[in-house]
Amino acid sequence: MNDDTIADSRRMLELMEATRRKTVRQLTRRYALLFVVWAVAWAVGFFALWITSGVGALDILPPAAGWVIFIMALAVAVVWSTVVGIRAANDGISGRSQLQGALYGNAWTVSMIAAWLLILGLQRNGLPDDLAQLLYPAIYVFLVGVLYLAGGALWRAVPMFVLGVILIVVAVVATFIGTPTHYLVYATVGPAAMLVVAALMLWGPRRVRESA
């Protein structure tokens, strides 16, 4: 192998590494922003449920309005997540990684629909409304935590794994606290954890940013 061939190989490797780092930076910024969007959606949605659940002076809207705001906030976050997923698929992610991402995304859809149907089935079989108010967010947040655990293990993303642990703990603690204060717990602790993870992805140590 002559010197020109070696130089060409080095330039090719440098180009490939530069392309990989650029892709990682783009995806990191995109997913960090996604965490911010979901943090805002949780904060707005769960706070709306809290202030419409009979908490004294803050009880200025009917309960139905709280659920409308909650659903709208989550719908915006879901649409944003879908757009991010589509863009990621068009940014050079293919093969095994693309399949992992697709299966992981479908796992979220299946889990959330199944959780909703599970609670609906329990309500039809006599689950009291006050318990339903505890179970709906608890199961939802618990599943989100489990899915983050799985995602963190799948992609060796420590911040995502830690976030999953935090959300599972939040779901358990909020359920023990009870209604309506549990909505306030979800509106504060969960979003705060998401914002911390987003900050680590953007400004944390390089190894943390690339693993996130």
Side-chain angles (χ1 to χ4, degrees):
M1 183 178 294
N2 56 42
D3 293 340
D4 290 339
T5 302
I6 294 175
D8 289 341
S9 299
R10 288 177 178 172
R11 283 194 293 269
M12 181 61 68
L13 288 174
E14 291 174 356
L15 178 61
M16 292 173 62
E17 179 63 17
T19 302
R20 186 193 71 82
R21 289 182 178 179
K22 180 181 178 181
T23 302
V24 169
R25 286 195 300 269
Q26 290 176 341
L27 291 176
T28 298
R29 287 194 297 267
R30 198 170 289 166
Y31 287 124
L33 181 57
L34 187 60
F35 275 118
V36 173
V37 170
W38 274 102
V40 172
W42 276 36
V44 171
F46 282 117
F47 189 74
L49 292 179
W50 181 60
I51 66 174
T52 58
S53 59
V55 285
L58 292 175
D59 189 16
I60 56 179
L61 295 173
W67 283 104
V68 170
I69 295 172
F70 178 77
I71 293 172
M72 289 179 62
L74 293 190
V76 171
V78 168
V79 171
W80 190 286
S81 301
T82 302
V83 172
V84 169
I86 293 173
R87 288 183 176 179
N90 294 329
D91 281 347
I93 301 178
S94 59
R96 182 177 178 182
S97 295
Q98 187 179 38
L99 177 60
Q100 286 177 334
L103 292 175
Y104 183 66
N106 288 330
W108 280 75
T109 303
V110 171
S111 298
M112 295 306 157
I113 293 176
W116 173 67
L117 292 174
L118 176 64
I119 299 296
L120 184 61
L122 290 174
Q123 284 185 295
R124 291 201 172 192
N125 284 278
L127 179 70
D129 289 340
D130 55 342
L131 288 181
Q133 290 183 27
L134 282 175
L135 279 178
Y136 263 120
I139 289 181
Y140 168 73
V141 175
F142 187 87
L143 279 177
V144 170
V146 171
L147 288 167
Y148 276 137
L149 282 181
L154 181 63
W155 285 292
R156 294 179 292 181
V158 176
M160 183 182 292
F161 190 90
V162 173
L163 177 59
V165 173
I166 293 173
L167 293 181
I168 289 174
V169 172
V170 167
V172 173
V173 172
T175 303
F176 273 95
I177 290 175
T179 183
T181 310
H182 68 311
Y183 291 135
L184 185 59
V185 175
Y186 293 131
T188 54
V189 182
M194 293 179 189
L195 292 177
V196 169
V197 170
L200 287 174
M201 293 173 70
L202 292 174
W203 302 296
R206 179 178 173 183
R207 288 183 62 185
V208 173
R209 294 199 309 267
E210 295 197 356
S211 71

